[in-house]
Amino acid sequence: MGKIDAYLLREAWGVLKSQLHENGFCLRRGDSFECLESLIRGSQKPTLTEHFRTDANTYFPDQAFWIAVETFSGELVARVATRVDDLGSQSLLEYWRRYWKRCYPGATGGRAEIAENQPRFAAEIHGRIAYLGDLYVETKFRNKGVATALVKVAQIDAADEWDPDYVYGWMTPADVGSNLFPAYGFTSVHSAGIRWSVPPGTISDNLVFVGNSRSSLIDLIEDITISRPV
């Protein structure tokens, strides 16, 4: 699937950092999710999802990290989190079957359960998998290119940290259908990302899978460096 060029990776990261800096923003990264929860207390969305909440998860520094965008004066602009799961011999679909029912309560009681019949793409994904989630941009900072840069930075940082075989996340159909989505850099999109027998009670049951293989991550890194301002 190819090797990630460390020099190009650093160059691409620098391009995105410069774009944010030129708009008055800076990056902050951490691996303490207690710290992140403290940081977002004043946010319009002051809690994390079940994927990263500290009352439901314990992540060590080499397993997960978060990235925040702030103004130069320290005001929170946006945040995203990512973790890595080494699936070993199991597929991403097998992992989901075990994971989702632990993660979410069911809409009608009990735990959420994915249906037996699932799209086949997840059964074909194996190895070291990075998940991106909890993306949120404060309202007054939207439409300034923050989400675009932050999602790409998170993918690049995950590539640097873990050299994953795949990186993915979930979006709503409305978000995927917006003008913003193509700029996130994801190349795989599955509109029927997951099917439920017992839908979750705290999130949408109509989620779109978006992701990049390692080769697509390499393409993303190259594209960022090629399109950088001269």
Side-chain angles (χ1 to χ4, degrees), residues 92-107:
L92 184 57
L93 178 57
E94 291 172 304
Y95 173 77
W96 286 345
R97 291 196 185 282
R98 294 174 172 87
Y99 175 77
W100 283 94
K101 62 184 177 183
R102 296 198 313 270
C103 191
Y104 289 109

Side-chain angles (χ1 to χ4, degrees), residues 26-215:
C26 56
L27 289 165
R28 176 179 176 185
R29 172 175 158 159
D31 52 42
S32 167
F33 283 83
E34 289 83 1
C35 179
L36 178 59
E37 286 176 328
S38 177
L39 179 67
I40 67 174
R41 279 178 190 152
S43 167
Q44 293 168 304
K45 188 177 181 183
T47 57
L48 299 174
T49 66
E50 286 87 345
H51 296 288
F52 293 104
R53 278 179 8 209
T54 58
D55 64 353
N57 303 279
T58 300
Y59 289 120
F60 296 103
D62 61 347
Q63 294 175 306
F65 61 83
W66 53 266
I67 304 173
V69 177
E70 298 177 332
T71 65
F72 294 145
S73 62
E75 183 179 2
L76 179 65
V77 174
R79 83 284 186 135
V80 71
T82 185
R83 69 161 194 266
V84 67
D85 297 300
D86 194 338
L87 303 186
S89 61
Q90 72 178 332
S91 70
L92 184 57
L93 178 57
E94 291 172 304
Y95 173 77
W96 286 345
R97 291 196 185 282
R98 294 174 172 87
Y99 175 77
W100 283 94
K101 62 184 177 183
R102 296 198 313 270
C103 191
Y104 289 109
T108 57
R111 308 303 299 176
E113 293 272 2
I114 68 172
E116 182 63 30
N117 182 24
Q118 291 293 323
R120 288 172 173 76
F121 73 90
E124 299 170 353
I125 298 175
H126 299 80
R128 190 186 298 269
I129 312 300
Y131 166 74
L132 270 65
D134 274 85
L135 173 68
Y136 188 76
V137 181
E138 304 297 319
T139 301
K140 75 176 187 178
F141 295 109
R142 294 177 184 175
N143 302 313
K144 298 181 184 295
V146 174
T148 296
L150 183 54
V151 170
K152 288 180 177 178
V153 165
Q155 291 185 75
I156 290 172
D157 268 20
D160 185 39
E161 186 83 9
W162 301 311
D163 189 23
D165 297 291
Y166 211 96
V167 57
Y168 79 99
W170 298 99
M171 299 183 70
T172 67
D175 288 336
V176 173
S178 72
N179 292 331
L180 179 63
F181 170 71
Y184 284 165
F186 292 113
T187 57
S188 295
V189 180
H190 295 273
S191 57
I194 194 164
R195 302 185 185 119
W196 302 94
S197 56
V198 179
T202 57
I203 61 169
S204 169
D205 62 356
N206 183 20
L207 296 171
V208 178
F209 175 97
V210 296
N212 275 326
S213 64
R214 181 188 282 121
S215 58

